[in-house]
Amino acid sequence: MKVTPKRWLPGTRATVIGIPYLWLLLFFAVPFVIILMISFAHTQVGSPPYTWLLQYVDGAFSLKLNLENYLQLGRDQQYLLAYLSSFKIAFISTALTLLVGYPMAYAIARMSPSARNVAMMLVVLPSWTSFLIRVYAWMGILDRNGLLDQLLMKIGVIDEPLRLLYTPTAAYIGIVYCYLPFMVLPLYANLIKHDHRLLEAAYDLGARPWQAFMRITLPLSRAGVIAGCMLVMIPAVGEFVIPEMLGGPDTLMIGRVLWGEFFNNRNWPVASAVAVVMLLLLMLPIVLFNRAQQRELEGRQA
């Protein structure tokens, strides 16, 4: 019996490919172009609080670009400190998330299939609730005389309440908690594919468990580690809710600077310039990651 392969209906392939591109065009490219245009505009009192780039003056169209918005970012030290502080907090939070998430993903990958499904559901389950509600819950936990202080004082670890809320430490805790699933999921997807016979062979050759982990498991999970770190670090750089609600005034991040420029100062052109520079800085690790992945793929094919 001859089986004829299924053929695509006319236009079906173009539709399947075109829908994601249309989504990216509407919700990424168009907003980015608008922000980019505003970043070259002048500030004005009115609605909208910026001038149009293309203006009709004396019977002719003229394009007026304002580079002062970008020059101001280099002159004002506050923006540089905000960028550096954001990347520092995001880097430390990503490292802490990796330290917490890797053992969790490794343990889940070594479980039985039934227990594995339950464990993964428990990892994802907090994400089903509102992001804001979870941050509010940590405010009650970290507050003076909150649940954490009461527990530590009850078991005799501390004698007086700690000052955790509205500190950078609280911001780290909130980021690690909220972004932990983004680290565990790619690590789990990578670790579950490993061939356990490689570890058995290493044990037969006399390798200790930590040696087998460092020489086999960890190198093989490099792609999952990089993917998890990218998924955590990129959104953490522009985080606003967690440093605003948990970090307090000492936690300076670029997301809070953007909020202040947009809504307090109503300086949309400068705020747009800050957003464009932040996006360009975040695209650099993405490009490097894609090149590394492409080189690794070419090495395997060779």
Side-chain angles (χ1 to χ4, degrees), residues 49 240 255-268 271:
F240 168 73
R256 303 182 69 178
V257 174
L258 278 172
W259 174 273
E261 293 291 350
F262 267 116
F263 298 101
N264 295 337
N265 301 336
R266 287 187 61 81
N267 194 342
W268 288 23

Side-chain angles (χ1 to χ4, degrees), residues 268-285:
W268 288 23
V270 172
S272 299
V274 172
V276 170
V277 172
M278 183 181 68
L279 180 60
L280 294 178
L281 292 176
L282 290 177
M283 287 185 65
L284 180 61

Side-chain angles (χ1 to χ4, degrees), residues 113-229:
S114 58
R116 192 184 303 155
N117 295 332
V118 175
M120 287 304 300
M121 185 188 69
L122 294 177
V123 171
V124 181
L125 190 62
S127 301
W128 294 0
T129 60
S130 172
F131 185 86
L132 195 61
I133 292 177
R134 285 182 283 155
V135 178
Y136 265 118
W138 275 106
M139 292 181 66
I141 295 174
L142 300 176
D143 196 6
R144 292 180 68 89
N145 295 319
L147 295 177
L148 181 61
D149 281 343
Q150 292 180 9
L151 176 62
L152 295 178
M153 293 176 66
K154 194 171 185 179
I155 62 179
V157 176
I158 59 175
D159 297 328
E160 58 182 13
L162 300 174
R163 185 181 178 273
L164 291 176
L165 191 61
Y166 305 129
T167 62
T169 302
Y172 290 133
I173 294 174
I175 293 175
V176 171
Y177 169 76
C178 292
Y179 289 101
L180 185 61
F182 297 100
M183 180 66 73
V184 174
L185 291 176
L187 284 173
Y188 167 77
N190 180 277
L191 292 170
I192 197 65
K193 300 176 183 178
H194 290 187
D195 190 352
H196 296 294
R197 291 176 297 180
L198 297 175
L199 295 177
E200 295 176 358
Y203 297 150
D204 293 338
L205 294 175
R208 296 181 179 180
W210 68 269
Q211 292 176 326
F213 173 80
M214 295 298 296
R215 296 184 179 183
I216 297 176
T217 304
L218 188 59
L220 290 177
S221 62
R222 183 180 61 178
V225 170
I226 295 175
C229 291

